[in-house]
Amino acid sequence: MVCLAQSRRAFPGPSPTYARRFWCRPWAFAFFPCGTGLCGGETASAKKAPAPIFILGHWRSGTTHLYNVLSKSDRFGYVSPFATALPWDFLLLGRALAPLLTKKLPEHRYIDKVQVNADSPQEDEIALANMTPLSFYHGLYFPKQFDHYFQRGVFFDHTNATDIAQWQRDLRYLYDKLALAQPGRRLLIKNPVYTARPAMLRTLWPDAKFIHIHRNPVKVFLSMRNFYTALFAQFALQDWSHVDIDRVVLETYARMMSNLRAETKDLTKNQFVELSFDNFQSDPMAQIERIYDHLDLPDLDADRPVFEGYLESVRDYRKNSFTASDEVKEKVATHWGEFIRHWGYEDQI
């Protein structure tokens, strides 16, 4: 509702603030004894869960494929479509509404042909956009102020300590509920936005582990053009023709990768592992072995069959294909040369 008001659009219905106040009222417990699903003892149990493993990487770098593979292990918990749609209520209403929500799921993602079903792992970003005004999705919904919402949602620009503290509380609350819904599982979280803020995640979870996947920057750039075009077409409630997509992509990638390198350089081998999408695509099990080895994750032999089974099931998947002009290659090389050299993509530009 904050974003609706700032965008000067009037939509009927209660605001998130009103909803939050409702759940804090005594009468809410007459309907749902544990409010939105976390009772005292359950909260304590959720807080004992191990620190999450975060999959980092700029959008369109292979984070989803890696997430989909690793989430097949029953040792990992993840964000379900129901948690994404109903982050406050998925422990209660999510269960009751599961059949209806399943019918409403899209066949595949809007930006590519990756299938979506009731157990598909999701990013937590849309869930957070439903919980807090700090999300880049608000820029997609209201592109009249795209830069403002985007910079707030990705880099926490134009925010204050109170804004960030509330976002952190909401994030912890969401993760506690995810842990409660999937007891005994370590949360595996994929969100490209977090590539810009590993230091903050480390303050919240000092024992967190990180997997970074990178991809040929030219392919990332071309795919990001399609990413924004598709998402604006699907989500924008205002005209978005003024948004300079190339500028947004070029500036965001450079700032995000700079943050990533600066904020992970002191991590130990068992906290941070990095791989390329090309290597993961050509020999996924070898890269999964690297991940398990670096991060000291147990029982790969037990997980191997489910990984191999899933990989076989998507063997015929075809990615979107885009052709890079000389102009695009020069633009990417000019703006992202530091990262092209760092990850050894000089011969692919």
Side-chain angles (χ1 to χ4, degrees), residues 206-250:
D207 296 326
K209 296 177 184 286
F210 301 89
I211 307 167
H212 175 229
I213 185 168
H214 54 82
R215 186 186 183 192
N216 182 331
V218 170
K219 293 183 178 180
V220 170
F221 178 83
L222 292 171
S223 191
M224 285 303 296
R225 282 178 167 176
N226 176 71
F227 173 91
Y228 281 117
T229 300
L231 292 186
F232 276 130
Q234 188 66 36
F235 294 135
L237 299 174
Q238 300 169 330
D239 177 66
W240 55 274
S241 60
H242 63 284
V243 178
D244 185 344
I245 291 175
D246 283 8
R247 176 189 61 80
V248 172
V249 175
L250 291 169

Coordinates of all heavy atoms in Angstrom, one line a residue, residues 206-250:
P206 N 25.8 -15.6 10.5 CA 27.3 -15.7 10.3 C 27.8 -17.0 9.8 O 28.9 -17.1 9.2 CB 27.8 -15.5 11.8 CG 26.7 -14.7 12.4 CD 25.4 -15.2 11.8
D207 N 27.0 -18.1 9.9 CA 27.4 -19.4 9.4 C 26.8 -19.7 8.1 O 26.9 -20.9 7.6 CB 27.0 -20.5 10.4 CG 27.7 -20.3 11.8 OD1 28.9 -19.9 11.8 OD2 27.1 -20.6 12.8
A208 N 26.2 -18.7 7.4 CA 25.7 -19.0 6.1 C 26.7 -19.4 5.1 O 27.9 -19.0 5.2 CB 24.9 -17.7 5.6
K209 N 26.3 -20.2 4.1 CA 27.2 -20.6 3.0 C 26.7 -20.0 1.7 O 25.5 -19.8 1.6 CB 27.3 -22.1 2.9 CG 28.0 -22.7 4.2 CD 28.0 -24.2 4.1 CE 28.5 -24.9 5.4 NZ 30.0 -24.7 5.5
F210 N 27.6 -19.8 0.7 CA 27.2 -19.2 -0.5 C 27.7 -19.9 -1.7 O 28.9 -20.4 -1.7 CB 27.8 -17.7 -0.5 CG 27.3 -16.9 0.6 CD1 28.0 -16.8 1.8 CD2 26.1 -16.1 0.5 CE1 27.5 -16.0 2.8 CE2 25.7 -15.3 1.5 CZ 26.4 -15.3 2.7
I211 N 26.9 -20.0 -2.7 CA 27.3 -20.6 -4.0 C 27.1 -19.5 -5.1 O 25.9 -19.0 -5.2 CB 26.4 -21.8 -4.4 CG1 26.4 -22.8 -3.3 CG2 26.9 -22.4 -5.7 CD1 25.3 -23.9 -3.5
H212 N 28.1 -19.1 -5.8 CA 28.0 -18.1 -6.8 C 28.1 -18.7 -8.2 O 29.1 -19.4 -8.4 CB 29.0 -17.0 -6.7 CG 28.9 -16.0 -7.8 ND1 30.1 -15.6 -8.5 CD2 27.9 -15.4 -8.4 CE1 29.7 -14.7 -9.4 NE2 28.4 -14.6 -9.4
I213 N 27.2 -18.5 -9.1 CA 27.3 -19.0 -10.4 C 27.3 -17.8 -11.4 O 26.5 -16.9 -11.3 CB 26.1 -20.0 -10.8 CG1 26.3 -20.6 -12.2 CG2 24.7 -19.4 -10.6 CD1 25.3 -21.8 -12.4
H214 N 28.2 -17.8 -12.3 CA 28.4 -16.7 -13.3 C 28.3 -17.3 -14.7 O 28.4 -18.5 -14.9 CB 29.7 -16.0 -13.1 CG 30.9 -16.8 -13.1 ND1 31.5 -17.2 -14.3 CD2 31.6 -17.4 -12.1 CE1 32.6 -18.0 -14.0 NE2 32.7 -18.1 -12.7
R215 N 28.0 -16.4 -15.6 CA 27.8 -16.8 -17.0 C 28.4 -15.8 -18.0 O 28.6 -14.6 -17.6 CB 26.3 -16.9 -17.3 CG 25.8 -17.5 -18.6 CD 24.3 -17.4 -18.8 NE 23.9 -18.0 -20.0 CZ 22.6 -17.8 -20.5 NH1 21.7 -17.1 -19.8 NH2 22.3 -18.4 -21.6
N216 N 28.6 -16.1 -19.2 CA 29.1 -15.2 -20.2 C 28.3 -13.9 -20.1 O 27.1 -13.9 -20.4 CB 29.0 -15.8 -21.6 CG 29.5 -15.0 -22.7 OD1 29.5 -13.8 -22.6 ND2 29.9 -15.6 -23.8
P217 N 29.0 -12.8 -19.8 CA 28.3 -11.5 -19.7 C 27.5 -11.1 -20.9 O 26.4 -10.4 -20.7 CB 29.4 -10.5 -19.3 CG 30.5 -11.4 -18.7 CD 30.4 -12.7 -19.5
V218 N 27.9 -11.4 -22.1 CA 27.2 -11.0 -23.3 C 25.8 -11.7 -23.3 O 24.8 -11.1 -23.5 CB 27.9 -11.3 -24.6 CG1 27.0 -11.1 -25.8 CG2 29.1 -10.3 -24.7
K219 N 25.8 -13.0 -22.9 CA 24.6 -13.8 -22.9 C 23.7 -13.2 -21.8 O 22.4 -13.2 -21.9 CB 24.9 -15.2 -22.7 CG 25.6 -15.9 -23.9 CD 25.8 -17.4 -23.7 CE 26.4 -18.0 -25.0 NZ 26.6 -19.4 -24.8
V220 N 24.3 -12.9 -20.6 CA 23.5 -12.3 -19.6 C 22.8 -11.0 -20.0 O 21.6 -10.8 -19.8 CB 24.4 -12.0 -18.3 CG1 23.6 -11.2 -17.3 CG2 24.9 -13.3 -17.7
F221 N 23.6 -10.1 -20.7 CA 23.0 -8.8 -21.1 C 21.9 -9.0 -22.1 O 20.8 -8.4 -21.9 CB 24.1 -8.0 -21.8 CG 23.7 -6.7 -22.4 CD1 23.6 -5.6 -21.5 CD2 23.3 -6.6 -23.7 CE1 23.1 -4.4 -22.0 CE2 22.9 -5.4 -24.2 CZ 22.7 -4.3 -23.3
L222 N 22.0 -9.9 -23.1 CA 21.0 -10.1 -24.1 C 19.7 -10.7 -23.4 O 18.6 -10.3 -23.7 CB 21.5 -11.0 -25.2 CG 22.5 -10.5 -26.1 CD1 23.1 -11.6 -27.0 CD2 21.9 -9.3 -26.9
S223 N 19.9 -11.7 -22.5 CA 18.8 -12.3 -21.8 C 18.1 -11.3 -20.9 O 16.9 -11.4 -20.7 CB 19.3 -13.5 -21.0 OG 18.2 -14.3 -20.6
M224 N 18.8 -10.4 -20.3 CA 18.2 -9.4 -19.4 C 17.3 -8.4 -20.2 O 16.3 -7.9 -19.7 CB 19.3 -8.6 -18.7 CG 20.0 -9.4 -17.6 SD 18.8 -10.0 -16.3 CE 18.2 -8.5 -15.6
R225 N 17.6 -8.1 -21.4 CA 16.7 -7.3 -22.2 C 15.4 -8.0 -22.3 O 14.3 -7.4 -22.2 CB 17.3 -7.1 -23.7 CG 18.4 -6.1 -23.8 CD 18.9 -6.0 -25.2 NE 19.7 -4.8 -25.5 CZ 20.3 -4.6 -26.6 NH1 20.2 -5.5 -27.6 NH2 21.0 -3.5 -26.8
N226 N 15.4 -9.3 -22.6 CA 14.1 -10.1 -22.7 C 13.5 -10.2 -21.3 O 12.2 -10.1 -21.2 CB 14.5 -11.5 -23.2 CG 13.2 -12.4 -23.2 OD1 12.3 -12.2 -24.0 ND2 13.2 -13.4 -22.3
F227 N 14.3 -10.3 -20.2 CA 13.8 -10.4 -18.9 C 12.9 -9.2 -18.5 O 11.7 -9.4 -18.1 CB 15.0 -10.5 -17.9 CG 14.7 -10.4 -16.5 CD1 14.5 -11.6 -15.7 CD2 14.7 -9.2 -15.8 CE1 14.3 -11.5 -14.3 CE2 14.5 -9.1 -14.4 CZ 14.3 -10.3 -13.7
Y228 N 13.4 -8.1 -18.7 CA 12.6 -6.9 -18.4 C 11.4 -6.7 -19.3 O 10.4 -6.3 -18.8 CB 13.5 -5.6 -18.4 CG 14.4 -5.5 -17.1 CD1 15.8 -5.6 -17.2 CD2 13.8 -5.4 -15.9 CE1 16.5 -5.5 -16.0 CE2 14.6 -5.3 -14.7 CZ 15.9 -5.3 -14.8 OH 16.7 -5.2 -13.7
T229 N 11.6 -6.9 -20.6 CA 10.5 -6.7 -21.5 C 9.4 -7.6 -21.1 O 8.2 -7.2 -21.1 CB 11.0 -7.0 -22.9 OG1 12.0 -6.1 -23.3 CG2 9.8 -6.8 -23.9
A230 N 9.7 -8.9 -20.8 CA 8.6 -9.9 -20.4 C 8.0 -9.5 -19.1 O 6.7 -9.6 -19.0 CB 9.2 -11.3 -20.4
L231 N 8.7 -9.1 -18.1 CA 8.2 -8.8 -16.8 C 7.4 -7.5 -16.8 O 6.3 -7.5 -16.1 CB 9.3 -8.8 -15.7 CG 9.9 -10.2 -15.4 CD1 10.9 -10.0 -14.3 CD2 8.9 -11.2 -15.1
F232 N 7.9 -6.5 -17.5 CA 7.1 -5.3 -17.6 C 5.7 -5.6 -18.3 O 4.7 -5.1 -17.8 CB 7.8 -4.2 -18.4 CG 8.8 -3.4 -17.5 CD1 10.1 -3.2 -18.0 CD2 8.4 -2.8 -16.4 CE1 11.0 -2.5 -17.2 CE2 9.3 -2.1 -15.6 CZ 10.6 -1.9 -16.0
A233 N 5.7 -6.3 -19.3 CA 4.5 -6.7 -20.1 C 3.5 -7.4 -19.2 O 2.3 -7.2 -19.3 CB 4.8 -7.5 -21.3
Q234 N 4.0 -8.2 -18.2 CA 3.2 -9.0 -17.4 C 2.7 -8.3 -16.1 O 1.6 -8.4 -15.7 CB 3.9 -10.3 -16.9 CG 3.1 -11.3 -16.2 CD 2.0 -11.9 -17.1 OE1 2.2 -12.1 -18.2 NE2 0.8 -12.1 -16.5
F235 N 3.6 -7.4 -15.5 CA 3.3 -6.9 -14.2 C 3.0 -5.4 -14.2 O 2.4 -4.9 -13.2 CB 4.5 -7.2 -13.3 CG 4.7 -8.6 -13.0 CD1 6.0 -9.2 -13.0 CD2 3.6 -9.4 -12.7 CE1 6.2 -10.5 -12.7 CE2 3.8 -10.8 -12.4 CZ 5.1 -11.3 -12.4
A236 N 3.5 -4.6 -15.2 CA 3.5 -3.2 -15.0 C 2.0 -2.6 -15.0 O 1.2 -3.0 -15.9 CB 4.2 -2.5 -16.2
L237 N 1.7 -1.8 -14.1 CA 0.4 -1.1 -13.9 C 0.5 0.3 -14.5 O -0.5 1.0 -14.5 CB 0.0 -1.1 -12.5 CG -0.2 -2.4 -11.8 CD1 -0.5 -2.3 -10.3 CD2 -1.3 -3.2 -12.5
Q238 N 1.7 0.7 -15.0 CA 1.9 2.0 -15.6 C 2.7 1.9 -16.8 O 3.3 0.8 -17.1 CB 2.6 2.9 -14.6 CG 1.9 3.2 -13.3 CD 2.7 3.9 -12.2 OE1 4.0 3.7 -12.2 NE2 2.1 4.6 -11.4
D239 N 2.7 2.9 -17.6 CA 3.6 2.9 -18.8 C 5.0 2.8 -18.4 O 5.5 3.4 -17.5 CB 3.4 4.2 -19.6 CG 4.3 4.3 -20.8 OD1 4.1 3.4 -21.8 OD2 5.2 5.1 -20.9
W240 N 5.8 1.9 -19.2 CA 7.2 1.7 -18.8 C 8.1 2.0 -20.0 O 9.3 1.7 -20.0 CB 7.4 0.2 -18.4 CG 6.9 -0.8 -19.4 CD1 5.6 -1.3 -19.5 CD2 7.7 -1.5 -20.4 NE1 5.6 -2.3 -20.5 CE2 6.8 -2.4 -21.1 CE3 9.0 -1.4 -20.8 CZ2 7.2 -3.2 -22.1 CZ3 9.4 -2.2 -21.9 CH2 8.5 -3.1 -22.5
S241 N 7.6 2.6 -21.0 CA 8.4 2.9 -22.2 C 9.6 3.8 -22.0 O 10.5 3.8 -22.8 CB 7.5 3.5 -23.3 OG 6.9 4.7 -22.9
H242 N 9.5 4.6 -20.9 CA 10.6 5.5 -20.6 C 11.8 4.8 -20.0 O 12.9 5.4 -19.9 CB 10.2 6.6 -19.6 CG 9.8 6.0 -18.3 ND1 8.6 5.4 -18.1 CD2 10.4 6.0 -17.1 CE1 8.5 5.0 -16.8 NE2 9.6 5.4 -16.2
V243 N 11.7 3.6 -19.5 CA 12.8 2.9 -18.8 C 13.9 2.5 -19.8 O 13.6 1.8 -20.8 CB 12.2 1.6 -18.0 CG1 13.4 0.9 -17.4 CG2 11.2 2.0 -17.0
D244 N 15.1 2.9 -19.5 CA 16.2 2.6 -20.3 C 16.8 1.2 -19.9 O 17.6 1.2 -18.9 CB 17.3 3.7 -20.3 CG 18.5 3.4 -21.2 OD1 18.6 2.3 -21.7 OD2 19.2 4.4 -21.4
I245 N 16.3 0.2 -20.4 CA 16.7 -1.2 -20.0 C 18.2 -1.4 -20.1 O 18.8 -2.0 -19.1 CB 15.9 -2.3 -20.7 CG1 14.4 -2.2 -20.4 CG2 16.4 -3.6 -20.5 CD1 13.5 -3.1 -21.2
D246 N 18.8 -1.0 -21.1 CA 20.2 -1.2 -21.3 C 21.0 -0.6 -20.2 O 21.9 -1.1 -19.6 CB 20.7 -0.7 -22.6 CG 20.4 -1.6 -23.8 OD1 19.6 -2.6 -23.6 OD2 20.9 -1.4 -24.9
R247 N 20.6 0.7 -19.8 CA 21.3 1.4 -18.8 C 21.1 0.7 -17.4 O 22.1 0.5 -16.7 CB 20.8 2.8 -18.7 CG 21.4 3.6 -17.5 CD 20.7 4.9 -17.3 NE 19.3 4.8 -17.0 CZ 18.8 4.5 -15.7 NH1 19.7 4.3 -14.7 NH2 17.5 4.4 -15.5
V248 N 19.9 0.2 -17.1 CA 19.6 -0.4 -15.9 C 20.5 -1.7 -15.8 O 21.1 -2.0 -14.7 CB 18.1 -0.8 -15.8 CG1 17.9 -1.7 -14.6 CG2 17.3 0.5 -15.7
V249 N 20.5 -2.5 -16.8 CA 21.3 -3.7 -16.8 C 22.8 -3.5 -16.6 O 23.5 -4.1 -15.8 CB 21.1 -4.6 -18.1 CG1 21.9 -5.8 -18.1 CG2 19.6 -5.0 -18.2
L250 N 23.3 -2.5 -17.4 CA 24.7 -2.3 -17.4 C 25.2 -1.7 -16.0 O 26.2 -2.2 -15.4 CB 25.1 -1.3 -18.4 CG 25.0 -1.8 -19.9 CD1 25.2 -0.6 -20.9 CD2 26.1 -2.8 -20.2

